[in-house]
């Protein structure tokens, strides 16, 4: 089955972005005022649709006939831009619904961001719009635009200097100021914006719905998104799935983090899998590139706007100086790009065409090519045709800016790459803006810094890899549903619950007397481990509730008495079910496997190395929802400790397949019981040699409040 939900295309977006007519409520005759700027932009951009200023105090506004009310407008406008104060908005939205308007923008602030009264008014406006099938943007937003149609329904100063004319980049931002800043930086980077939208408080339209609709537009090549928070996980997952299916890159700047809640005090999982890690996991699963800086977001938008993604990570390097080659190689290693050597035939060809240059990758051409530009042409040709690189980076310092050499260099590179325009050719160079633009017009990506150039190639490769991976499919089945007792579970109860779905534990027994302890220890085989069993003591080691290496029956009986006494002293209020007696665990690598319920995205599964040291090293991989075997193996491979499971320095290879099976089981169980479980954790889990499986040595399950 498809992983893309059969969700209808969000309604009202066509009227919003490509309206045939626009009304401006509260339109000002002063183009510098918020209520006058959008009208000024519409006229400046050459919008061809009908424009109706609504202002009951004026007969004309900015040279156009004005109307006293929306009802007086002679047709039903597709879009209404509302520049009125908050006190007049309830009537304005009601008038839009009565008129049959398709979409509306509220610029005004003073809503949910101001407190309870503002929140109540915002919800009331959203309810009116929803019941009236009105696509609402805002409040507290800067509007939207579609460059190709000349519709500029925003007052953002980002477009004062120049209004976009119709590029393939789409920007959607909760923050209007950030969205405007992004558009401004894109223009400076020679990246033209085709669609731009600010969602503000998102009373009616959120970032996810915008991504969904934009991903369906044929003239969009990349979507830049900014959000501080997401309220509807389902809508976002659907939007990202549509973008993935349509192979539309999404470069997302997600900022802000929230507290992981009280469960963090009870498990390593909850503290390790905070909200930020959940977004990382979600974006990884859907092939979204998460940008950490605005520069990174713009750099990748620039690279994606050409619509060319590398088929892999093999990169060729051509330089005019060996030092730049070393710099690029270092950066490539940091970003996981493969600077593979050339085959023998290609090396021989390089020696033949340029005996003074180097004959491998990276290729230092030296300065001889200044006398014969064909050397550059031939070198790029060898890199692509015989090296079969997925991309090539050329480092030319400031030489392209030279009036003597600039045009010749550009033409030489163009000839050498003309048969390989399906691969990105990146040039590191410094030059005047008009020179840079001429190189871009010739089909090249231009960066002024080696690190940024390599980072952009890594981003393009990540996007391509994300598109090649299948989307996460729904997981969890009714066969994994389990009844949970009210309140917290003891370790013994948690083991029994998880063992019922296939989690492997060592054979153990709960005893309630010293004599039973001695008997159980003898049956298990010495030495044994003994642990206090109580649903009220999740962290047993903190009260001395765990004893290792018990070597005989007499010691087992004595330890039973000591453990129960320590529990009674440390936690006299705790319910003690007895003492768990287990055989000492076999040798193996230690890992942690867990799941927790994220308040927005639901069950999140986590894998980490180090077992009880997981929180110290924070070497974890996270996914949202259930994972299949392939995704589980990718999770394991992402961690630095993966090497300890694959025969590092002569260690035996561990049973990675069994770890993957455990991740599949735990994630499916968490999804099937999402309404019942807050957190579950297996820590530590012993991974034995390949073929011998895994054993969970401790289990914690925290039910959701109200579960019974």
């Amino acid at each position: 089955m498809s992983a893309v939900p059969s969700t209808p295309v969000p309604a009202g977006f066509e009227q919003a972005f490509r309206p045939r007519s626009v009304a401006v409520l509260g339109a000002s005759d002063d183009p510098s005022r918020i209520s006058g700027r959008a009208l000024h932009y519409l006229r400046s951009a050459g919008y061809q649709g009908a424009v109706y200023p609504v202002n009951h105090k004026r007969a004309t506004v900015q040279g156009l006939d004005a109307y006293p009310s929306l009802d007086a407008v002679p047709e039903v406008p597709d879009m209404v831009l509302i520049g009125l104060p908050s006190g007049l908005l309830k009537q304005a939205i009601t008038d839009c619904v009565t008129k049959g308007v398709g979409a509306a923008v509220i610029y005004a602030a003073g809503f949910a961001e101001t407190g309870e009264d503002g929140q109540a008014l915002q919800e009331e406006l959203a309810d009116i719009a929803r019941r009236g099938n009105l696509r609402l943007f805002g409040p507290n937003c800067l509007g939207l635009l579609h460059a190709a149609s000349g519709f500029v329904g925003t007052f953002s100063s980002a477009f004062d200097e120049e209004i976009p004319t119709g590029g393939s980049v789409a920007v959607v931002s909760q923050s209007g100021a950030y969205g405007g800043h992004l558009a401004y930086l894109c223009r400076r980077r020679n990246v033209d914006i085709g669609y731009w939208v600010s969602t503000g408080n998102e009373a009616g339209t959120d970032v996810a719905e915008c991504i969904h609709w934009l991903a369906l537009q044929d003239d969009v090549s990349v979507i830049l998104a900014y959000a501080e928070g997401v309220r509807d996980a389902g809508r976002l997952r659907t939007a990202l799935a549509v973008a993935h299916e349509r192979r539309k890159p999404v470069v997302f700047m997600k900022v802000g983090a929230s507290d992981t809640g009280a469960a963090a005090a009870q498990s390593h999982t909850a503290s390790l899998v905070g909200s930020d890690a959940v977004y990382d996991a979600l974006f990884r699963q859907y092939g979204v590139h998460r940008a950490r800086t605005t520069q990174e977001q713009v750099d990748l938008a620039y690279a994606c706007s050409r619509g060319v993604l590398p088929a892999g990570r093999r990169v060729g390097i051509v330089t005019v100086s060996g030092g730049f080659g070393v710099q690029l190689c270092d950066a490539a290693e940091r970003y996981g790009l493969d600077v593979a050597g050339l085959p023998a035939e290609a090396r021989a060809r390089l020696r033949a065409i340029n005996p003074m240059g180097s004959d491998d990758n990276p290729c230092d051409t030296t300065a001889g090519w200044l006398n014969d530009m064909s050397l550059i042409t031939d070198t790029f040709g060898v890199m692509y045709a015989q090296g079969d690189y997925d991309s090539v980076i050329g480092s030319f310092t400031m030489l392209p800016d030279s009036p003597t050499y600039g045009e010749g260099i550009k033409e030489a590179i163009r000839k050498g790459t003309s048969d390989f325009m399906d691969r990105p050719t990146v040039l590191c160079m410094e030059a005047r803006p008009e020179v840079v633009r001429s190189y871009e017009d010739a089909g090249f990506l231009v960066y002024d810094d080696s690190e940024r150039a390599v980072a952009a190639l890594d981003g393009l490769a990540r996007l391509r890899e994300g598109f090649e991976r299948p989307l996460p499919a729904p997981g969890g089945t009714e066969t994994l549903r389990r009844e949970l007792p009210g309140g917290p579970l003891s370790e013994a109860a948690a083991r029994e619950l998880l063992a019922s779905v296939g989690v492997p534990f060592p054979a153990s027994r709960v005893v309630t007397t010293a004599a039973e302890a001695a008997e159980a220890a003898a049956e298990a085989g010495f030495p044994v481990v003994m642990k206090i069993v109580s649903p009220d003591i999740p962290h047993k080691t903190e009260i001395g509730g765990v004893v290792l290496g018990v070597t005989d029956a007499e010691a087992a009986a004595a330890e039973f008495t000591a453990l129960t006494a320590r529990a009674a002293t440390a936690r006299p209020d705790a319910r003690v079910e007895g003492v768990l007696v287990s055989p000492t665990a076999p040798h193996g690598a230690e890992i942690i496997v867990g799941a927790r319920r994220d308040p927005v995205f639901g069950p999140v599964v986590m894998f980490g190395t180090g077992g009880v040291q997981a929180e110290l090293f924070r070497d974890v991989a996270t996914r949202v929802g259930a994972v299949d075997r392939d995704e589980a193996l990718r999770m394991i491979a992402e961690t630095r400790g993966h090497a300890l499971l694959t025969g590092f320095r002569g260690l035996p290879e561990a049973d990675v397949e069994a770890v993957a099976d455990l991740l599949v089981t735990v994630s499916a169980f968490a999804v099937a019981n999402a309404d019942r479980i807050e957190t579950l954790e297996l820590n530590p889990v012993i991974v034995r040699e390949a073929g011998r499986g895994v054993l969970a040595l401790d289990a914690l399950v925290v039910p959701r409040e109200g579960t019974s």
Side-chain angles (χ1 to χ4, degrees):
M1 64 182 288
S2 172
V4 181
S6 56
T7 303
V9 176
F13 276 83
E14 192 66 29
Q15 294 102 312
F17 278 99
R18 286 186 274 264
R20 293 163 297 181
S21 56
V22 180
V24 184
L25 302 192
S28 172
D29 197 51
D30 183 350
S32 68
R33 294 180 61 85
I34 288 176
S35 54
R37 287 176 68 81
L39 183 57
H40 169 70
Y41 277 148
L42 284 169
R43 303 190 70 197
S44 301
Y47 173 65
Q48 296 301 303
V51 180
Y52 302 104
V54 176
N55 186 326
H56 68 280
K57 296 180 180 180
R58 300 184 62 90
T60 63
V61 175
Q62 295 187 36
L64 298 176
D65 290 340
Y67 298 83
S69 66
L70 182 61
D71 183 59
V73 170
E75 66 171 301
V76 178
D78 281 338
M79 167 62 92
V80 172
L81 308 176
I82 305 176
L84 299 171
S86 59
L88 301 177
L89 290 176
K90 182 178 177 181
Q91 186 60 53
I93 295 300
T94 300
D95 290 346
C96 286
V97 170
T98 301
K99 186 79 171 177
V101 170
V105 172
I106 298 176
Y107 296 135
F111 294 90
E113 76 278 9
T114 64
E116 292 183 3
D117 291 345
Q119 176 72 41
L121 177 57
Q122 180 174 305
E123 291 175 357
E124 189 174 12
L125 296 178
D127 185 60
I128 295 170
R130 185 168 47 252
R131 287 187 285 108
N133 296 317
L134 174 69
R135 170 60 62 182
L136 183 64
F137 293 83
N140 190 25
C141 79
L142 270 62
L144 64 157
L145 66 79
H146 175 232
S149 67
F151 170 63
V152 187
T154 177
F155 63 89
S156 173
S157 60
F159 308 107
D160 269 350
E161 182 180 341
E162 183 180 346
I163 294 174
T165 56
S168 63
V169 176
V171 174
V172 50
S173 175
Q174 282 180 344
S175 164
Y178 183 83
H181 182 63
L182 204 55
Y184 175 81
L185 292 178
C186 282
R187 184 175 72 247
R188 291 185 59 183
R189 195 72 172 88
N190 297 333
V191 176
D192 205 2
I193 301 295
Y195 298 82
W196 185 92
V197 55
S198 157
T199 59
N201 288 13
E202 300 188 340
T205 302
D206 62 13
V207 164
E209 290 172 292
C210 293
I211 293 173
H212 184 164
W213 187 81
L214 289 167
L216 295 171
Q217 306 311 302
D218 291 337
D219 56 349
V220 169
S221 67
V222 57
I223 300 167
L224 304 186
Y226 172 93
E228 295 159 13
V230 172
R231 291 191 295 270
D232 193 315
R235 276 208 295 261
L236 181 59
R237 295 182 74 165
T238 295
L240 298 183
V242 170
H244 183 281
E245 187 174 68
R246 296 270 297 172
R247 299 180 75 86
K248 297 296 178 73
V250 177
V251 184
F252 213 120
M253 171 74 77
K254 168 63 182 68
V255 299
S258 64
D259 185 66
T260 56
Q266 299 193 53
S267 79
H268 297 287
T269 299
S271 60
L272 286 168
V273 187
S275 62
D276 206 50
V278 174
Y279 280 99
D280 273 344
L282 181 80
F283 294 155
R284 187 177 293 110
Q285 286 170 271
Y286 285 86
V288 173
H289 183 96
R290 184 175 188 180
R292 298 294 180 176
T293 68
T294 303
Q295 183 183 76
E296 179 188 357
Q297 198 171 23
V298 174
D299 276 352
L300 196 50
Y302 167 78
C304 288
S305 65
R306 306 303 178 90
V308 178
L309 301 180
R313 289 183 165 270
R314 285 169 47 86
V315 59
I317 296 174
V318 179
T319 73
V320 296
S321 166
F324 288 102
V326 173
Q327 188 179 62
L328 284 164
C329 285
D330 289 347
E333 183 174 332
R334 284 191 292 274
Y335 285 95
L337 298 181
D338 181 12
V339 187
L342 283 163
E345 297 82 359
R347 297 185 65 179
R349 175 60 182 156
L350 286 181
R351 286 193 298 271
I353 63 175
N354 188 7
M356 301 301 293
S358 59
D359 64 352
D360 205 350
N361 186 30
C363 178
D364 174 12
T365 63
T366 70
W369 60 270
L370 292 174
N371 295 323
D372 182 1
M373 293 285 181
S374 68
L375 296 180
I376 290 295
T377 298
D378 291 342
T379 299
F380 274 91
V382 168
M383 284 288 178
Y384 274 132
Q386 295 181 265
D388 196 29
Y389 294 113
D390 302 305
S391 59
V392 173
I393 301 179
S395 181
F396 288 90
T397 67
M398 68 294 187
L399 286 167
D401 202 41
S402 164
T404 305
Y405 300 114
E407 272 301 310
I409 294 171
K410 180 178 68 179
E411 184 62 17
I413 300 172
R414 189 194 64 76
K415 288 179 179 177
T417 59
S418 60
D419 291 336
F420 305 97
M421 299 305 289
D422 59 337
R423 314 179 199 187
T425 298
V426 181
L427 302 180
C428 296
M429 53 181 264
E430 284 282 359
R432 289 159 291 161
E434 61 271 22
V435 174
V436 170
R437 190 59 180 260
S438 74
Y439 273 73
E440 291 171 339
D441 290 344
F444 308 123
L445 297 172
V446 179
Y447 292 87
D448 61 5
D449 177 77
S450 298
E451 191 80 11
R452 290 170 62 191
V454 173
L457 274 182
D458 170 54
L460 292 176
R462 286 178 183 273
L463 288 166
R464 177 65 174 260
E465 290 158 2
F467 289 142
E468 300 304 325
R469 288 197 299 269
L471 288 171
T477 65
E478 282 298 314
T479 61
L480 296 177
R481 292 277 290 176
R482 295 293 185 271
E483 295 298 326
L484 271 69
L489 277 69
S490 68
E491 180 188 346
R495 283 185 179 222
E496 183 179 359
L497 173 68
L498 295 172
S500 74
V501 298
V503 176
F505 293 94
S508 304
R509 177 178 164 189
V510 177
V511 297
T512 57
T513 67
E516 287 181 354
E519 178 185 325
E523 290 175 354
F526 297 106
V528 297
V529 177
M530 299 178 66
K531 295 188 276 188
I532 199 72
V533 179
S534 169
D536 303 316
I537 308 176
H539 296 304
K540 299 175 283 293
T541 56
E542 293 178 0
I543 68 157
V546 179
V547 179
L548 306 177
V550 180
T551 57
D552 57 50
E554 184 178 348
E559 292 295 354
F560 175 89
T561 302
L563 283 167
T564 52
R566 281 197 289 271
T569 300
R571 290 291 308 275
D573 58 326
R575 294 164 292 167
V576 175
E577 298 174 0
V579 171
L580 188 72
V581 180
S582 303
T584 296
H587 292 295
E590 289 191 6
I591 63 169
I592 176 174
V593 171
R596 80 166 181 89
R597 184 189 68 88
D598 182 82
V600 175
F601 293 102
V604 178
V605 64
M606 181 270 286
F607 164 80
T609 56
V612 294
Q613 298 174 338
E615 230 172 328
L616 173 64
F617 297 117
R618 304 191 73 82
D619 185 22
V620 299
T622 307
R623 295 293 188 272
V624 176
V627 298
D628 60 18
R629 169 177 280 272
D630 289 341
E631 195 65 32
L633 289 170
R634 280 191 286 270
M635 288 179 67
I636 298 165
E638 281 174 17
T639 59
R640 295 185 299 276
H642 173 246
L644 297 174
L645 303 178
T646 55
F648 178 72
R649 289 196 173 182
L651 291 173
E653 187 172 342
D655 201 336
V656 175
E657 295 293 328
V659 177
D661 289 340
L662 181 62
L663 282 166
V664 171
T665 297
V666 168
S667 66
F669 175 75
V671 169
N673 296 276
D675 58 335
R676 304 179 179 194
I677 293 177
E678 191 71 35
T679 306
L680 74 86
E681 180 176 291
L682 302 170
N683 185 29
V685 176
I686 298 296
V687 187
R688 306 185 70 186
E689 294 181 18
R692 302 191 65 184
V694 297
L695 279 176
L697 303 188
D698 201 346
L700 172 71
V701 174
V702 180
R704 292 189 63 182
E705 289 187 14
T707 300
S708 60

